[in-house]
Amino acid sequence: MIRKIFIGFILVTFLTVTFNLPIVKADELTDLGLDQAKIENIKASCTTLTASLNQLHASDGVLRVNRGQAYETVSKRLITVFNARVASNSLDGSSMVAIAANYDKALFAFKMNYKSYEDALKETIKTDCNKEPVEFYKHLKTAREARKKVHEDVLVLHAQLNDYGQTFRKFKKQILETK
């Protein structure tokens, strides 16, 4: 009896290692929202999925650089310079300085969350969806969540810019009224 159990264990281990069969619990699949049909669909669409993810990675990289540079330019060449000029003229620009500080925090969060997204996307692309469809799906889910955070960061940055613009218009109106 012990010999049969031992041989069965060796056989399962051999098959798992040889054919790289993932041992996945049914609860884990349910938690991920996966069933056997979805797993087979991932395997069948593996080439297309990988190509799409590679294309997304390339286009997102360009978009990240362009947006990042634009956000940096707004911060360093416009907001910071203007706030310094307001301060040097002994005017009260404290509300704009506060918004600028929040904008810089949001910009930092954008950079960090984008890096996390990029890492998650690279990990997804590296995973062989034919051999490891469940792992591929896990990485894809992580990348989607990370991309959502980046999107939320972009919305926060735009909201901060809108706030700064409104505050600037009020500031400008006050300055013009005092002259």
Side-chain angles (χ1 to χ4, degrees), residues 62-128:
V62 171
L63 184 63
R64 172 10 194 141
V65 168
N66 292 340
R67 279 213 174 183
Q69 287 175 344
Y71 293 145
E72 284 286 337
T73 299
V74 167
S75 177
K76 302 296 182 232
R77 293 189 180 173
L78 299 176
I79 293 175
T80 302
V81 172
F82 183 75
N83 287 349
R85 182 162 248 187
V86 168
S88 71
N89 287 312
S90 300
L91 299 171
D92 181 18
S94 59
S95 55
M96 290 184 291
V97 170
I99 294 170
N102 289 335
Y103 179 82
D104 287 342
K105 287 178 190 172
L107 182 56
F108 181 77
F110 169 77
K111 290 175 186 178
M112 293 297 105
N113 287 335
Y114 190 87
K115 178 71 174 123
S116 296
Y117 162 62
E118 184 177 25
D119 292 344
L121 187 57
K122 283 180 182 178
E123 196 62 36
T124 305
I125 292 168
K126 280 188 345 187
T127 306
D128 185 345

Side-chain angles (χ1 to χ4, degrees), residues 3 8 19 25 31 34 41-42 45 56 69 85 91 98 101 103 106 150 155-156 160 168 179:
R3 184 176 179 193
F19 297 107
K25 297 178 182 173
D31 292 344
L34 282 175
N41 191 22
I42 290 170
S45 306
L56 178 67
Q69 287 175 344
R85 182 162 248 187
L91 299 171
Y103 179 82
V150 171
L155 295 178
V156 169
Q160 292 296 323
F168 169 78
K179 284 191 173 185

Side-chain angles (χ1 to χ4, degrees), residues 128-179:
D128 185 345
C129 43
N130 277 318
K131 293 180 181 175
E132 301 176 277
V134 175
E135 281 301 307
F136 176 84
Y137 186 78
K138 284 181 191 178
H139 292 303
L140 182 62
K141 191 173 180 180
T142 301
R144 282 180 179 158
E145 291 166 0
R147 192 168 204 259
K148 185 178 177 184
K149 285 182 184 177
V150 171
H151 175 71
E152 290 167 0
D153 291 337
V154 168
L155 295 178
V156 169
L157 284 166
H158 288 230
Q160 292 296 323
L161 289 175
N162 286 335
D163 290 348
Y164 190 88
Q166 290 174 354
T167 305
F168 169 78
R169 285 187 283 286
K170 288 177 188 174
F171 176 79
K172 179 182 171 185
K173 184 178 177 183
Q174 287 175 343
I175 295 298
L176 292 175
E177 286 174 354
T178 58
K179 284 191 173 185

